[in-house]
Amino acid sequence: MMTMGLTADVMSRPVPVNTDAEPDPTLARGSRAAARARANEAMNRYASGDDEAFAALYPALAPELRRYLLRQTRDASRAEDLLQQTMMQIHCARGRFALGADVFPWAFSIARRFLIDSIRWERREAARTRAVATTSATTGTMSDEIVHSIRVLRTLQQELVRLPDAQRQAFELIKNDGLSLREAAEALGTTVVAIKLRTHRAYVALRGAISDDEGDNLRTTSQRSGRRRSTEMASQASH
């Protein structure tokens, strides 16, 4: 596996950003086929433990991924961020790549997942901002219910990121994308039983995170109430 030094060196190399939102219509079909062949050959070597293969994989794979992400986001900076997340995930998951398979569908599925995650995050943040603005306009302050909902949402987001990749993928396909157990199993190349186990573990972890957060909040509230009561009693005794 790649050492931490090599990982930081390879992944931090500056790569020129192509700000053209559309694929080059003059790009020959043969050139794309050759690029795909180079990417597949490099990915096979990279998945087999050849760290140096990344130098060939990136230029063969990244331009197509960048064009796809740029078409979807219309934002060069955001597309580049998503591309780097995708390439980092490819590095982290390279041991699970099926040798001899076509790397492009696998890489695009990873890029699409990061894209969907970013869109969902933006929508949640927009909804939260609207809720805060509406509440502030009508009451001048957020209600306890909204504060609690925001806290729970943030806790879920943080815990979801910390889940093992297999559990998070299964959870998102079932809960967010609405796939059946069988469809999720086919998408992840595993069994229905494995999907059931992964989603169950994800649910348990998320419920535990919420419970821990609520317990911390309850203790904090109790401590504040105790301090207020002590202050009130001291004030009354001084009169």
Side-chain angles (χ1 to χ4, degrees), residues 120 169-179 199 203 206:
R120 286 174 179 154
Q169 289 179 6
F171 178 85
E172 290 180 337
L173 289 176
I174 298 295
K175 184 66 175 178
N176 297 334
D177 295 340
L179 270 64
T199 53
Y203 280 125
L206 294 176

Side-chain angles (χ1 to χ4, degrees), residues 21-42:
E22 297 296 332
D24 183 357
T26 64
L27 186 61
R29 183 176 303 176
S31 298
R32 289 196 175 187
R36 178 165 296 218
R38 288 194 300 272
N40 288 337
E41 189 274 336

